């Protein structure tokens, strides 16, 4: 019945989704691929070749060249369009993933968490600081609710929401306070929905590396164009010179036109081969592949560029709670009435309530059960459930174990005013109207702040007595003891208020101390190993936390962040340092405790500008948004993080785990290295293809590699090469090298060594075949040229096949390690070899090839294979690796 009502509400009021733009069809991507200028020129060449060929030689003999070029163009376009189409689908899936936001609602009388898309009019949404308002609605109840409506109205001034101004709009953000709102409209019927014609599809922006490599592609393309023009001139000059000499310059036969056309097609195809359009494609493929894999590893990438930037990170500034620790908190120690007790055993709290003065227990329970952002609810199965942050949950569990009754206490007292916790004030305060009349303020928060506001305390007999210096020192010693045991400490206090003072600011002094609780939040498993992995990878890890300095130091030591030479300081001390002092302090500083969001922002700015570090920062609160934006990579927490923090971040860590951040860094490095591998592979092919055709045209007057053959080579090295090398998974060696950093070269000395060494070998082999091939293979007769050119083409392709394997590692000798595990790489290699065999043996009419003998095949494969030991020997040549130590930026 309940389900039917929900369906009915959905049919009447609509769903909480915005209209999406229509996904682009596969044929639109085909059309985009056909817009390539060089392919259009080649298509025109193919058409003229087809027309002239059929006119002079008849059908089908005259059609082979034209059909061959057309077939190659169709193949290139098909593979490019399929690749782009798959990526567009992937980006749409990621956009859907971003919409998986859970909201707290009361529906059918039960408090529950539901997906934002499932929200319906009639639901009551519970809002807290940092939430994004998920739909349009009206204010039901709440305290100090302050909204940022700038995204909707453009007005930067925050707006108060209360009974007098009760309307809330979808897309606005909660800056302060808390409240409940009744949903009135969802999806396209909201104000935000009416403003949005459609959601912008993600993944269209070029990343910095794509922009950089596009520039490289243009330079290489211009070099290729220069060589293409030279090749065309050299190939055509003999025919034109002969015609000029014979006085037949204006008399052209069909064969003459075909010869010039073939020369032009070869020249255009040299441009196609030379233009490495696969560079930006390799970046996109690698990033898209990494994004998909990172999603499996609990990291949602919101900004594509973050994948590549994370690989360059040199410093990670991490939160403590929930990132380094497990965020499963329990109260294990407490100091009440001056007595410290262990409360980790479930039986102790119940006996504790009988040992303590009744007034102290009652005041403690009133403080915990009323001054809380959490809630004790009964779920649909009748079970008691606690909803709230881990800290609030731990306190409420402690209160319930002492015999507290949440529902009864909330009914007995009326909350008049709430000042929610935030990272600046570091305390939360409520004002209660008591059952017997009068008002009381309850305060909880950072121990040193709340304790400093107290001038009285409840002693062992339950009496309220002045808080003298001796007792204050004793309590401070207890706080230090709790902190040194890696416990998170909170202090609870109260004070009575006069009737009229509830309308004024909540007082900051004159409180009576109730007690201190020590909350255990164990370090996540694997964090110590992850920190050690970062250190070996040259990434410094700094803990930035709002916790007490002793707690922070204890946790940092346990995680391996705080080392013998490292410093831990508090935010107050950090703020007072001069720029010169910070220059000396920050490299040694490993822990920043009791920090504010502005401290975190100042630290990030200093690391990025003065120290020139590439900084990754974690954040979960609304106030962390400036630091997340300022950092090179903003990492928001998916579980504890507010929607404001997630919107400001580049990557959302879905499980709030520090180990996941290290995984993101590893994938980032993998993306960068994979693109380097592909660039090394492609530049080698470019250099060899240009040199072979150009030198052959100069010295023999003929180009051994035809247009169709060059188009196939272009396919191998652009689309298929990108697919094979850009999808290599990360290996553990990546985290044993220094980070790439912010400045330096992308194409390193190591890469140049490999490119030039391999190019020299391949060119030597192909030139040897070009000049001595007839004698080596004993070729004679009219077919000798065709057989030799087929051998050259076949050897060239197998050189690239084995070069692709060699390119898997730029420095390691063993290039076969893990190859069998990469099914995409093995599939591309297998497909290339199979299609090459078909092209040579069966498609000779179209590819200008002729079937080869077993011996000829064996020699072609052997020449290709020899490239691997040659590459291994080249890797033994030592080069200065200086730029790899500091290197992300220049090419």
């Amino acid at each position: 019945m309940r389900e039917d009502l929900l369906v009915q509400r959905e049919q009447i009021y609509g769903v909480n989704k915005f209209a999406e733009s229509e996904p682009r069809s596969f044929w639109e991507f085909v059309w985009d691929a056909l817009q390539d200028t060089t392919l259009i020129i080649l298509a025109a060449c193919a058409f003229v070749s087809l027309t002239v060929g059929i006119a002079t030689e008849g059908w089908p003999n005259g059609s082979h060249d034209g059909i061959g070029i057309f077939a190659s163009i169709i193949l290139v376009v098909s593979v490019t369009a399929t690749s782009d189409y798959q990526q567009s689908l992937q980006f749409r899936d990621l956009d859907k993933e971003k919409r998986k936001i859970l909201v707290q609602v009361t529906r059918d009388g039960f408090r529950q968490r539901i997906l934002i898309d499932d929200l319906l009019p009639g639901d009551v949404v519970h809002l807290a600081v940092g939430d994004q308002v998920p739909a349009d609605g009206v204010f039901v109840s709440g305290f100090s609710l302050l909204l940022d409506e700038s995204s909707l109205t453009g007005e930067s001034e925050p707006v108060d929401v209360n009974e007098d101004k009760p309307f809330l709009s979808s897309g606005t953000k909660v800056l302060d306070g808390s409240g409940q709102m009744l949903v009135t409209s969802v999806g396209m019927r909201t104000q935000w929905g009416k403003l949005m014609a459609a959601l912008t599809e993600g993944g269209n922006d070029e990343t910095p590396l794509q922009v950089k490599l596009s520039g490289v592609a243009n330079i290489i393309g211009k070099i290729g164009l220069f060589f293409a023009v030279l090749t065309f001139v050299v190939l055509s000059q003999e025919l034109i010179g002969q015609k000029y000499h014979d006085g037949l310059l204006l008399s052209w036969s069909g064969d003459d036109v075909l010869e010039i056309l073939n020369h032009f097609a070869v020249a255009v195809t040299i441009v196609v081969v030379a233009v490495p359009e696969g560079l930006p494609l390799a970046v996109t493929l690698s990033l898209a592949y990494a994004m998909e894999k990172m999603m499996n590893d609990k990291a949602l990438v919101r900004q594509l560029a973050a994948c590549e930037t994370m690989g360059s990170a040199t410093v990670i500034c991490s939160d403590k709670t929930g990132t380094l620790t497990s965020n499963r908190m329990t109260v294990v120690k407490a100091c009440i009435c001056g007595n410290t007790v262990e409360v980790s055993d479930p039986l102790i709290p119940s006996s504790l309530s009988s040992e303590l003065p009744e007034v102290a227990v009652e005041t403690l329970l009133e403080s915990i059960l009323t001054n809380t952002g959490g809630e004790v609810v009964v779920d649909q199965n009748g079970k008691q459930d606690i909803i709230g942050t881990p800290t609030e949950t731990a306190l409420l569990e402690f209160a319930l174990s002492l015999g507290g009754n949440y529902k009864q206490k909330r009914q007995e007292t009326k909350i008049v005013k709430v000042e929610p916790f935030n990272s600046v004030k570091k305390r939360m305060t409520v004002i209660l109207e008591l059952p017997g009349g009068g008002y009381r303020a309850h305060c909880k928060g950072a121990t040193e702040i709340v304790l400093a506001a107290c001038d009285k305390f409840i002693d062992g007999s339950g009496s309220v007595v002045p808080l003298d210096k001796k007792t204050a020192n004793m309590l401070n010693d207890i706080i230090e003891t709790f902190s040194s045991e890696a416990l998170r400490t909170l202090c609870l206090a109260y004070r009575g208020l006069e009737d009229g003072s509830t309308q004024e600011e909540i007082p900051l002094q004159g409180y009576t101390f109730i007690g201190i609780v020590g909350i255990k939040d164990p370090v996540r498993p694997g964090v110590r190993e992850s920190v050690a992995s970062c250190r070996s990878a040259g990434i410094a890890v700094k803990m930035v936390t709002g916790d007490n300095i002793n707690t922070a130091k204890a946790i940092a030591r346990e995680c391996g962040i705080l080392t013998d030479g490292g410093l831990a300081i508090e935010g107050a001390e950090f703020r007072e340092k001069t720029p010169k002092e910070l220059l000396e302090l920050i490299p040694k500083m490993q822990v920043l405790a009791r920090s504010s969001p502005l401290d975190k922002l100042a630290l990030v700015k200093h690391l990025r500008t003065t120290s020139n570090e590439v900084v990754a920062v974690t954040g979960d609160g609304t106030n962390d948004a400036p630091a997340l934006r300022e950092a090179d990579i903003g990492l928001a927490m998916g579980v504890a993080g507010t929607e404001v923090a997630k919107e400001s971040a580049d990557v959302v860590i879905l499980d709030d785990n520090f180990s996941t951040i290290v995984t993101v860094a590893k994938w980032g490095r993998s993306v960068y290295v994979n693109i380097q591998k592909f660039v090394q592979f492609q530049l080698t092919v470019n250099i060899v293809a240009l040199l072979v055709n150009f030198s052959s045209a100069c010295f023999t007057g003929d180009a051994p590699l035809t247009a169709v053959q060059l188009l196939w080579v272009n396919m191998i090295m652009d689309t298929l090469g990108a697919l094979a090398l850009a999808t290599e998974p990360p290996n553990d060696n990546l985290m044993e090298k220094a980070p790439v950093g912010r400045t330096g070269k992308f194409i390193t000395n190591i890469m140049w060594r490999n490119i030039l060494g391999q190019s020299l070998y391949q060119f030597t082999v192909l030139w040897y075949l070009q000049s001595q091939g007839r004698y080596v293979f004993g070729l004679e007769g009219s077919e000798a040229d065709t057989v030799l050119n087929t051998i050259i083409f076949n050897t060239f392709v197998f050189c690239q096949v084995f070069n692709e394997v060699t390119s898997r590692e730029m420095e390691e000798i063993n290039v076969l390690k893990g190859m069998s595990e990469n099914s995409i790489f093995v599939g591309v290699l297998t497909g290339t070899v199979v299609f090459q065999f078909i092209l040579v043996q069966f498609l000779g009419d179209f590819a200008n090839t002729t079937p080869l003998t077993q011996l000829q095949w064996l020699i072609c494969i052997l020449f290709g294979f020899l490239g691997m030991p040659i590459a291994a020997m080249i890797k033994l040549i030592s080069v200065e690796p200086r730029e790899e130590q500091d290197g992300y930026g220049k090419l």
Side-chain angles (χ1 to χ4, degrees):
M1 184 66 183
R2 214 175 262 163
E3 297 282 330
D4 294 339
L5 285 171
L6 290 177
V7 171
Q8 197 175 352
R9 274 159 65 187
E10 191 175 295
Q11 287 171 347
I12 296 168
Y13 301 109
V15 292
N16 196 30
K17 293 179 183 177
F18 300 115
E20 293 187 9
S21 56
E22 278 292 313
R24 296 182 69 201
S25 70
F26 173 73
W27 297 110
E28 288 180 85
F29 287 101
V30 169
W31 178 250
D32 284 350
L34 284 168
Q35 304 307 303
D36 187 87
T37 311
T38 49
L39 287 183
I40 292 169
I41 296 169
L42 275 176
C45 284
F47 178 74
V48 176
S49 175
L50 201 61
T51 308
V52 177
I54 292 171
T56 55
E57 296 180 43
W59 177 270
N61 293 339
S63 63
H64 294 157
D65 284 352
I67 290 175
I69 297 174
F70 270 129
S72 301
I73 291 169
I74 290 166
L75 193 61
V76 170
V77 167
S78 300
V79 174
T80 307
T82 303
S83 169
D84 290 345
Y85 180 61
Q86 290 294 332
Q87 284 167 43
S88 75
L89 293 179
Q90 200 173 351
F91 287 129
R92 288 188 79 83
D93 289 342
L94 285 168
D95 280 337
K96 285 176 188 170
E97 203 67 38
K98 291 175 192 175
R99 283 283 297 170
K100 287 185 180 176
I101 300 166
L102 290 169
V103 288
Q104 292 271 4
V105 302
T106 298
R107 177 186 281 181
D108 301 325
F110 297 103
R111 180 86 172 262
Q112 52 195 284
R113 282 159 70 89
I114 65 169
L115 279 170
I116 192 171
D117 288 351
D118 298 334
L119 206 60
L120 291 169
D123 291 335
V124 174
V125 178
H126 299 258
L127 297 169
V129 175
D131 286 348
Q132 186 167 310
V133 178
D136 284 0
V138 290
F139 178 82
V140 176
S141 63
F143 301 96
S144 314
L145 195 59
L146 197 65
L147 295 186
D148 172 14
E149 294 187 346
S150 58
S151 58
L152 194 67
T153 63
E155 295 292 330
S156 57
E157 198 65 35
V159 177
D160 279 304
V161 177
N162 47 45
E163 290 89 344
D164 299 326
K165 292 189 283 181
F167 298 108
L168 296 96
S169 296
S170 171
T172 57
K173 299 175 183 72
V174 180
L175 293 178
D176 204 0
S178 60
Q180 291 81 45
M181 90 170 189
L182 178 70
V183 176
T184 55
S185 56
V186 293
M188 295 305 290
R189 300 184 184 192
T190 62
Q191 288 300 311
W192 185 251
K194 288 170 186 172
L195 280 176
M196 292 180 73
L199 279 176
T200 305
E201 189 174 337
N204 292 329
D205 292 338
E206 282 197 321
T207 72
L209 195 53
Q210 280 177 313
V211 173
K212 191 184 295 180
L213 290 179
S214 293
V216 176
N218 288 336
I219 294 167
I220 296 170
K222 286 172 184 174
I223 295 168
L225 183 62
F226 173 73
F227 274 99
V229 171
L230 274 183
T231 304
F232 178 71
V233 170
V234 170
L235 286 174
S236 305
Q237 57 89 24
E238 186 181 345
L239 176 65
I240 295 171
Q242 185 64 45
K243 281 196 164 290
Y244 177 75
H245 185 266
D246 295 343
L248 300 172
L249 202 56
L250 299 176
S251 175
W252 291 79
S253 66
D255 287 342
D256 294 337
V257 172
L258 271 179
E259 190 177 339
I260 289 291
L261 202 63
N262 284 336
H263 295 165
F264 184 68
V266 168
V268 171
T269 313
I270 285 175
V271 176
V272 174
V273 173
V275 174
E277 64 269 19
L279 291 183
L281 171 68
V283 180
T284 309
L285 273 173
S286 193
L287 292 176
Y289 177 75
M291 282 172 80
E292 185 183 1
K293 294 297 180 184
M294 277 197 264
M295 179 64 74
N296 297 337
D297 290 336
K298 303 294 182 188
L300 169 64
V301 179
R302 290 178 59 88
Q303 300 292 334
L304 202 59
C307 287
E308 66 190 47
T309 314
M310 192 64 200
S312 312
T314 55
V315 177
I316 297 174
C317 297
S318 175
D319 284 342
K320 175 184 77 67
T321 306
T323 307
L324 298 167
T325 59
S326 62
N327 222 14
R328 288 194 294 272
M329 301 192 190
T330 47
V331 176
V332 293
K333 275 191 173 182
C335 171
I336 303 160
C337 300
N339 299 315
T340 302
V341 286
E342 296 262 0
V343 291
S344 50
D345 189 323
L347 299 174
I348 292 175
S350 53
S351 60
L352 185 67
S353 56
S354 58
E355 294 169 13
L356 293 169
E358 189 179 343
V359 64
V361 174
E362 281 300 313
T363 310
L364 176 66
L365 289 175
E366 183 180 86
S367 180
I368 294 174
L369 296 173
T370 57
N371 186 20
T372 178
E375 198 173 338
V376 180
V377 299
V378 177
D379 64 19
Q380 290 165 317
N381 301 318
K383 288 184 180 178
Q384 197 167 260
D385 190 22
I386 300 173
I387 293 173
T389 64
T391 308
E392 297 287 13
T393 302
L395 286 171
L396 287 171
E397 280 175 347
F398 177 54
L400 295 176
S401 67
L402 285 171
N405 187 318
Y406 176 84
K407 192 174 181 181
Q408 183 184 327
K409 182 59 69 178
R410 296 300 283 251
Q411 286 172 347
E412 285 175 3
T413 54
K414 181 185 175 186
I415 296 175
V416 180
K417 196 170 187 178
V418 178
E419 193 178 76
F421 180 89
N422 70 41
S423 51
V424 177
K425 294 178 289 191
K426 298 193 185 300
R427 65 176 182 275
M428 176 181 179
T429 314
V430 297
I431 296 178
L432 307 178
E433 187 178 335
L434 301 173
Y439 294 89
R440 181 178 291 166
H442 278 283
C443 179
K444 74 173 178 197
T447 43
E448 64 272 26
I449 292 173
V450 176
L451 187 58
C454 296
D455 55 16
K456 296 180 281 295
F457 82 108
I458 302 173
D459 67 6
S461 64
S463 305
V464 175
V465 295
L467 180 66
D468 56 26
K469 193 171 183 181
K470 183 184 175 183
T471 308
N473 288 337
M474 179 198 75
L475 292 174
N476 277 316
D477 288 343
I478 290 168
I479 291 166
E480 200 162 314
T481 304
F482 281 17
S483 300
S484 63
E485 293 171 14
L487 299 182
R488 192 176 189 193
T489 56
L490 284 177
C491 187
L492 306 169
Y494 79 96
R495 66 163 285 172
L497 296 173
E498 297 171 12
D499 290 0
S501 63
T502 57
Q503 302 303 316
E504 300 165 11
E505 284 291 313
I506 296 176
L508 302 176
Q509 296 295 326
Y511 284 86
T512 300
F513 172 84
I514 302 170
I516 301 163
V517 291
I519 300 171
K520 181 75 175 172
D521 184 12
V523 169
R524 283 182 182 272
V527 163
R528 191 176 182 86
E529 291 79 3
S530 297
V531 170
S533 175
C534 282
R535 190 159 279 128
S536 68
I539 304 171
V541 181
K542 298 182 188 294
M543 180 199 284
V544 183
T545 178
D547 256 356
N548 176 293
I549 189 162
N550 292 317
T551 306
K553 282 161 76 174
I555 293 285
R557 282 198 185 94
E558 198 175 336
C559 294
I561 292 173
L562 188 59
T563 57
D564 291 342
L567 295 177
I569 66 165
E570 289 189 321
E573 186 185 342
F574 177 78
R575 272 168 245 142
E576 290 170 5
K577 298 288 182 185
T578 64
K580 189 177 179 182
E581 288 172 325
L582 284 176
L583 205 60
E584 294 177 16
L585 173 77
I586 285 178
K588 298 175 190 171
M589 188 188 77
Q590 293 171 335
V591 177
L592 181 59
R594 284 287 183 240
S595 65
S596 71
L598 288 176
D599 295 333
K600 187 187 273 191
L601 180 61
L603 174 63
V604 171
K605 278 184 175 175
H606 190 281
L607 284 167
R608 289 190 73 230
T609 54
T610 312
S611 306
N612 207 28
E613 305 280 6
V614 178
V615 186
V617 170
T618 69
D620 54 14
T622 305
N623 293 328
D624 288 327
L628 289 170
R629 286 198 194 99
E630 176 66 27
D632 294 284
I633 311 102
L635 303 157
M637 299 297 107
V639 179
T642 62
E643 288 310 311
V644 175
K646 290 177 194 175
E647 274 198 3
S648 303
D650 303 301
V651 180
V652 178
I653 305 300
L654 299 174
D655 60 355
D656 291 15
N657 193 340
F658 184 81
S659 299
T660 305
I661 297 169
V662 179
T663 304
V664 172
K666 189 190 284 187
W667 271 108
R669 288 188 173 196
S670 176
V671 166
Y672 191 82
V673 170
N674 284 351
I675 295 162
Q676 282 186 314
K677 291 175 189 174
F678 175 71
V679 167
Q680 176 183 298
F681 169 68
Q682 181 156 51
L683 288 182
T684 304
V685 188
N686 273 359
I687 291 169
V688 176
L690 286 176
L691 286 177
V692 166
N693 262 17
F694 177 68
S695 59
S696 182
C698 288
F699 294 107
T700 68
D702 183 34
L705 301 176
T706 67
V708 173
Q709 292 169 1
L710 284 172
L711 277 173
W712 168 232
V713 169
N714 186 60
M715 253 281 279
I716 294 172
M717 70 179 198
D718 264 0
T719 311
L720 297 178
L723 194 62
L725 291 169
T727 55
E728 279 278 303
N731 56 50
D732 293 332
N733 294 343
L734 287 173
M735 298 304 281
E736 293 173 5
K737 298 173 184 174
V740 183
R742 191 180 296 281
T743 59
K745 296 177 182 178
F746 175 76
I747 302 178
T748 63
N749 285 353
I750 286 170
M751 290 169 68
W752 279 124
R753 175 198 66 191
N754 297 343
I755 290 165
L756 296 174
Q758 190 64 222
S759 298
L760 183 63
Y761 165 72
Q762 288 187 21
F763 179 67
T764 304
V765 166
L766 295 173
W767 185 248
Y768 173 74
L769 289 175
Q770 177 75 15
S771 57
Q772 304 297 320
R774 287 169 179 273
Y775 308 109
V776 172
F777 293 99
L779 302 176
E780 293 175 353
S782 59
E783 290 294 308
D785 282 348
T786 309
V787 174
L788 182 60
N789 285 345
T790 303
I791 290 170
I792 291 171
F793 167 56
N794 208 29
T795 303
F796 182 56
V797 168
F798 275 98
C799 279
Q800 306 330 315
V801 167
F802 287 103
N803 183 27
E804 206 161 342
V805 176
T806 302
S807 297
R808 290 186 71 244
E809 290 289 347
M810 289 188 287
E811 295 178 72
E812 299 292 322
I813 302 293
N814 183 4
V815 292
L816 300 177
K817 185 181 177 183
M819 192 173 93
S820 58
E821 295 164 22
N822 187 349
S823 56
I824 297 174
F825 190 92
V826 173
V828 166
L829 279 192
T830 307
T832 303
V833 171
V834 169
F835 194 80
Q836 177 66 14
F837 179 78
I838 294 168
L839 199 69
V840 170
Q841 297 297 108
F842 305 110
L843 298 176
D845 288 342
F846 301 104
N848 298 106
T849 58
T850 188
L852 300 178
T853 64
Q854 286 184 358
L855 179 64
Q856 288 165 347
W857 270 101
L858 191 64
I859 291 172
C860 292
I861 293 169
L862 183 64
F863 274 131
F865 174 75
L866 279 174
M868 291 183 69
I870 294 289
M873 286 189 280
I874 291 165
K875 287 174 185 175
L876 297 175
I877 300 169
S878 178
V879 293
E880 182 59 47
R882 179 180 54 81
E883 68 267 26
E884 274 118 303
Q885 302 302 318
D886 61 5
Y888 190 169
K890 296 173 191 170
L891 286 146

